[in-house]
């Protein structure tokens, strides 16, 4: 069965919506058995002030798990996909606090970043999701 960018997007989203570290590890193992590398990182804070920190966390997590190399190609792909995913949720999150998870998955040339955040003030919460894809050369790991 061929793995496509849609499958990699699903993998990133599965990582982003994982409930806890144990669930995250089980998902990572299932994905790894299919040849998909993945990582997730938690995040919380005031959205607009935190955009840069969210992008940095995604890049560092992808590098630590060897989804991408520590160079401008790998970093740029993760940063660009994270920024594109964040753009999808900005209208709902601007000026509010967010908390949730960033999921990243990679297979071959495909890398996807999924963002799953709760947004709100006090206990008036909204749920937002963003997902973006980038392509990397096969040799760029």
């Amino acid at each position: 069965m061929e793995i496509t960018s849609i499958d990699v997007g699903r993998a990133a989203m599965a990582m982003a919506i994982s409930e806890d570290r144990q669930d995250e590890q089980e998902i990572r193992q299932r994905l790894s058995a299919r040849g998909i590398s993945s990582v997730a990182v938690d995040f919380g804070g005031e959205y607009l002030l935190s955009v840069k920190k969210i992008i940095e966390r995604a890049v560092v997590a992808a590098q630590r798990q060897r989804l991408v190399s520590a160079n401008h190609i790998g970093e740029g792909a993760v940063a660009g996909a994270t920024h594109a995913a964040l753009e999808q949720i900005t209208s709902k999150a601007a000026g509010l606090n967010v908390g949730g998870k960033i999921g990243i998955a990679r297979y071959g040339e495909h890398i996807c970043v999924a963002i799953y955040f709760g947004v709100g003030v006090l206990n008036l919460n909204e749920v937002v999701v963003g997902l973006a894809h980038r392509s990397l050369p096969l040799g760029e790991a």
Side-chain angles (χ1 to χ4, degrees):
M1 184 176 101
E2 182 184 355
I3 295 177
T4 66
S5 59
I6 293 172
D7 300 313
V8 179
R10 281 189 191 105
M13 188 57 67
M15 291 299 290
I17 65 173
S18 60
E19 293 185 44
D20 53 34
R21 293 285 179 217
Q22 182 177 347
D23 186 30
E24 197 177 291
Q25 290 306 315
E26 290 170 6
I27 293 167
R28 279 188 76 197
Q29 289 174 353
R30 282 197 316 267
L31 293 172
S32 182
R34 296 178 58 203
I36 300 172
S37 301
S38 61
V39 66
V41 60
D42 295 319
F43 188 81
E46 199 282 315
Y47 179 74
L48 290 177
L49 297 176
S50 302
V51 168
K52 180 179 175 187
K53 183 61 104 180
I54 294 167
I55 293 169
E56 287 172 354
R57 280 199 178 184
V59 170
V60 168
Q63 288 173 338
R64 284 189 180 160
Q65 293 301 313
R66 295 191 173 102
L67 273 67
V68 297
S69 298
N71 61 37
H72 70 283
I73 298 169
E75 292 170 357
V78 175
T82 304
H83 190 265
L86 289 170
E87 286 178 335
Q88 297 169 19
I89 66 173
T90 297
S91 64
K92 288 188 178 185
L96 300 172
N97 289 320
V98 299
K101 204 175 279 192
I102 305 158
I104 307 167
R106 167 102 189 253
Y107 179 84
E109 294 180 335
H110 305 291
I111 189 159
C112 289
V113 175
I115 296 175
Y116 183 77
F117 283 165
V119 178
V121 178
L122 302 171
N123 60 351
L124 305 170
N125 291 317
E126 179 69 70
V127 176
V128 295
V129 176
L131 177 66
H133 169 268
R134 292 292 185 272
S135 293
L136 287 170
L138 282 176
E140 190 59 41

